[in-house]
Structure formats: C-alpha cells, structure tokens
Amino acid sequence: ETGVTQTPRHLVMGMTNKKSLKCEQHLGHNAMYWYKQSAKKPLELMFVYNFKEQTENNSVPSRFSPECPNSSHLFLHLHTLQPEDSALYLCASSQTGGSNQPQHFGDGTRLSIL
Amino acid sequence: ILNVEQSPQSLHVQEGDSTNFTCSFPSSNFYALHWYRWETAKSPEALFVMTLNGDEKKKGRISATLNTKEGYSYLYIKGSQPEDSATYLCASDSNSGYALNFGKGTSLLVTP
C-alpha cells in the first residue's frame, strides 16, 4: 500500500472526450503534485499544490486543468487531448511543499489518446 | 549543466557485485537532491533527500553522497541482489525551493 491512490490505472480516450484523473493521499500531507512521464523522457512536473493553493504551473497546456478541493484530493481534468499527451501520469504528495521533503508517489494512470 | 543528467543509462551486474551511479545537476542556487527507486509496475519510492554539501546517507546496502559545489551525487549499492533491479531516479531542485527536475534514470539489472 503506497498511501497515494490513483484512479483509474488505465484510460483510453478519444481526442474529443472529457475525462478526469483522481488522486487521493492518506498520509496527512499538505502538498500534492502531478507529473507526466512520456516514453524516453524524464518525469516532468506539471502542477504543484501546497495547502490547496497552486504554486506551480509548469507551462502546461490549458487542455489539462487541475483541481485540488482539499489537501487529500487532487484531480486532473482532461479535454481535447492530443496523441502526444499519451503518457504515464503520476501523482505525488509530500508533508509540505518544500523540496527538502521526500515525495510519495502513486502507481500512476496510463493514458492513451486515440 | 542546465538539466539533471544520470549515468550510466543502464547497467547489468551479477549478484554480489557492488555498483555505483552518477547524477549531475546544476550547482548554482541549490536546494535539494533526491534519489528514488522505481521498480517495474510499482510507484517510485524515496531513498534519500540530501541538502548539505558533503552529506552522506545510508539505507541498508545503499548509500549516497552529495557534492553541491561541483554539482554531483553518487549512489552506491554494495553486494547487489536481484531485488535491487529497478530504475534509480535522481532529482534536484536548483531553482525554486519546491520544484524537482528529474533525470532519465539509471536502469539496473542484477542477475543471479
């Protein structure tokens, strides 16, 4: 059990669909993150939320829309995605938003865009 | 160095061998250096977080060192076991205080 749960584990969607990825952490942490890993590329930070406030938007296209209703839940709303958005999307959490804290990752959602 | 670079890209060792990997990162405005182990079909697991120049950390047979002045960190595995087979990720924060930049990882295979 990782303490960070992501659903769904796999998602296939068309370019015109709207879907959402969900992340929930049971660790009592105050910071949550979305990362993208494309094939042969390093993990790329997308968004950071610290105490429910967005502190980082790493030049992510507007077709990705994050939502953090409380410190335990994080969503990534998807609409009008492109084939190059196919990737593994990882959620992580840490005690606080500082980089001196280890991050705890979920198992990821494997997204395929048709 | 603008990005986080890891070497080698992959490594294949025999059980019982000791091995080490390198992580290079921007040395200016340094905040923290992380190491993670990522086994296939699992989630990345934090190994070490280091913030001070000269820091050395150990967890069982795995240890890491940090040189923030020259911008590198080494990860050592003593007496490798098949269960050590994984991708080892390095990440640094050399800019913000909260955002990590990851390397592509070193893929380790340990065979009996």
Side-chain angles (χ1 to χ4, degrees):
Chain A
E1 185 180 349
T2 64
V4 179
T5 304
Q6 290 187 242
T7 54
R9 292 294 304 275
H10 301 273
L11 179 61
V12 179
M13 57 186 286
M15 288 191 284
T16 58
N17 292 156
K18 291 184 181 181
K19 295 285 185 183
S20 296
L21 309 185
K22 179 183 176 182
C23 177
E24 183 174 0
Q25 58 95 2
H26 311 277
L27 300 168
H29 289 169
N30 295 299
M32 296 187 78
Y33 311 79
W34 279 117
Y35 287 92
K36 174 185 179 183
Q37 186 175 45
S38 305
K40 301 189 186 303
K41 288 189 176 182
L43 276 173
E44 298 173 63
L45 180 65
M46 299 175 73
F47 301 104
V48 180
Y49 278 83
N50 197 19
F51 291 92
K52 300 188 296 178
E53 297 296 321
Q54 187 178 128
T55 55
E56 178 81 7
N57 176 341
N58 202 17
S59 302
V60 180
S62 59
R63 57 186 183 271
F64 295 91
S65 175
E67 179 189 0
C68 188
N70 55 62
S71 293
S72 299
H73 293 86
L74 185 64
F75 296 89
L76 188 62
H77 303 300
L78 316 171
H79 65 97
T80 325
L81 294 193
Q82 303 299 309
E84 61 266 27
D85 298 323
S86 297
L88 178 69
Y89 290 83
L90 285 167
C91 172
S93 69
S94 62
Q95 184 63 53
T96 66
S99 58
N100 60 345
Q101 302 290 318
Q103 295 185 12
H104 297 254
F105 285 85
D107 290 335
T109 295
R110 176 71 62 183
L111 176 65
S112 298
I113 307 300
L114 300 177
Chain B
I1 296 174
L2 298 179
N3 297 317
V4 177
E5 304 286 346
Q6 291 188 247
S7 62
Q9 183 176 344
S10 62
L11 196 55
H12 181 185
V13 302
Q14 295 296 118
E15 182 175 359
D17 289 348
S18 292
T19 186
N20 64 85
F21 325 132
T22 304
C23 173
S24 300
F25 56 88
S27 57
S28 61
N29 206 27
F30 173 83
Y31 283 89
L33 189 288
H34 293 221
W35 282 102
Y36 292 85
R37 174 170 59 201
W38 194 357
E39 295 179 63
T40 302
K42 294 188 177 181
S43 56
E45 172 196 359
L47 291 173
F48 305 112
V49 177
M50 296 185 288
T51 58
L52 300 176
N53 184 45
D55 214 358
E56 293 188 28
K57 295 214 171 180
K58 187 175 181 181
K59 186 176 182 178
R61 294 178 291 98
I62 305 177
S63 60
T65 61
L66 179 65
N67 183 321
T68 61
K69 295 186 185 304
E70 297 182 45
Y72 64 84
S73 174
Y74 295 132
L75 187 78
Y76 300 91
I77 302 179
K78 183 178 179 182
S80 302
Q81 300 296 307
E83 57 265 31
D84 295 328
S85 297
T87 296
Y88 290 82
L89 299 177
C90 168
S92 80
D93 177 4
S94 299
N95 185 42
S96 64
Y98 57 86
L100 294 177
N101 290 308
F102 280 80
K104 291 184 179 181
T106 292
S107 178
L108 173 67
L109 177 63
V110 183
T111 51

